[in-house]
Amino acid sequence: MSIFHTVDCAVASICGAQNKSQLVSALGEGMAALGFQSFNLSCNKADVREFMTSPTLTSWTSEDLDAYHNEHWSARDPLLELSGQSGLRKLWTPDDWARDADTRAYAEYIDFSGIRSGVTASVGGATDTVSAITALSFSDVIVDPDVPHAVAILAQTALTRAAVLGVPSIGLPAMAQSLKELSGKQIEILKWASQGKSNRDIATIMGSSKRTIDYHMSEILRKLDVASRAQAIIIFSGQ
């Protein structure tokens, strides 16, 4: 099974979540399919320290979060600085932090915790805020270069679904505002897509060619800055 088939299945599950608990579970299953056993996802945080102290969606327990805070790792965690970088897609192992004297203590901490590798990726959110995910693997070292992009897709889908479900403090991601950039025809295509119609079905309904519908769907994804049809539909459905 290819990694992006795995992503497609996970996106469908995330889009089907009906509450926050189901959403965390669906995102966790998607992360597990990519090789990660733990994740922390934060959206629209004013300070990078809130990424770990007050996550939006997480598999961490309150005890885990309290321990991190009480041991003052927020002042020594190099991932927090990275999480504020736009467009970040970083695949890392403890060895990456062990090479620098300033981060060696952090490398020892995560190695002692049993973490073999991880991904930290930024996702879309409000301007001048921090929105990112860190996923952790306690089993195999992740080496597939497509994995960071896959993690970002699932995280962005989860945040968009969370906004549609009304999870507090999120608001629709900034990309949702790009709906106004769509033409009337593209809005109509999304309407039919949200009803489960395939591109071929939509072409028949609208009296157009499938090639034309395929083109408009690719433009819809580009304008909304998303990677899948399902993501575009849940943004549209949230309006």
Side-chain angles (χ1 to χ4, degrees):
M1 182 183 295
S2 73
I3 187 171
F4 288 105
H5 178 72
T6 298
V7 168
D8 285 345
C9 293
V11 163
S13 179
I14 290 168
C15 291
Q18 296 302 307
N19 54 51
K20 183 176 180 179
S21 178
Q22 290 182 11
L23 184 56
V24 170
S25 178
L27 181 56
E29 290 172 2
M31 290 296 145
L34 294 175
F36 300 101
Q37 293 77 50
S38 176
F39 71 88
N40 224 33
L41 173 58
S42 287
C43 180
N44 294 342
K45 300 300 180 181
D47 188 287
V48 292
R49 288 171 293 185
E50 294 181 62
F51 176 72
M52 289 298 296
T53 59
S54 180
T56 306
L57 301 172
T58 184
S59 63
W60 286 39
T61 65
S62 57
E63 290 79 10
D64 292 333
L65 295 168
D66 287 344
Y68 178 93
H69 177 69
N70 293 336
E71 293 173 20
H72 307 292
W73 283 109
S74 60
R76 298 180 287 165
D77 185 343
L79 290 173
L80 294 188
E81 183 177 353
L82 287 175
S83 67
Q85 296 179 8
S86 177
L88 175 69
R89 303 285 186 274
K90 183 171 179 60
L91 179 62
W92 51 265
T93 69
D95 288 345
D96 291 329
W97 313 117
R99 302 186 187 108
D100 190 317
D102 292 336
T103 57
R104 197 163 294 144
Y106 181 74
E108 293 172 356
Y109 161 67
I110 59 177
D111 188 48
F112 177 78
S113 300
I115 297 168
R116 299 289 307 283
S117 58
V119 163
T120 298
S122 60
V123 291
T127 304
D128 297 326
T129 66
V130 177
S131 298
I133 184 170
T134 286
L136 305 174
S137 175
F138 295 87
S139 53
D140 298 326
V141 173
I142 306 297
V143 295
D144 189 328
D146 288 328
V147 164
H149 184 56
V151 167
I153 291 172
L154 297 192
Q156 191 70 74
T157 304
L159 288 181
T160 306
R161 186 60 183 166
V164 171
L165 292 172
V167 173
S169 77
I170 295 182
L172 281 173
M175 64 180 183
Q177 307 308 316
S178 298
L179 276 172
K180 62 186 179 183
E181 296 183 13
L182 302 184
S183 68
K185 186 170 188 176
Q186 289 166 350
I187 290 290
E188 184 178 359
I189 289 170
L190 261 186
K191 180 193 74 173
W192 290 115
S194 69
Q195 295 177 23
K197 303 297 183 182
S198 68
N199 285 10
R200 190 175 299 280
D201 294 336
I202 296 170
T204 300
I205 293 169
M206 297 181 64
S208 186
S209 68
K210 180 178 178 297
R211 182 175 180 180
T212 297
I213 301 302
D214 289 344
Y215 166 76
H216 279 295
M217 186 57 73
S218 68
E219 283 295 287
I220 289 168
L221 301 185
R222 181 186 64 79
K223 289 178 180 180
L224 296 182
D225 191 25
V226 295
S228 74
R229 173 187 172 107
Q231 282 179 275
I233 289 171
I234 58 176
I235 293 170
F236 174 75
S237 300
Q239 297 303 292

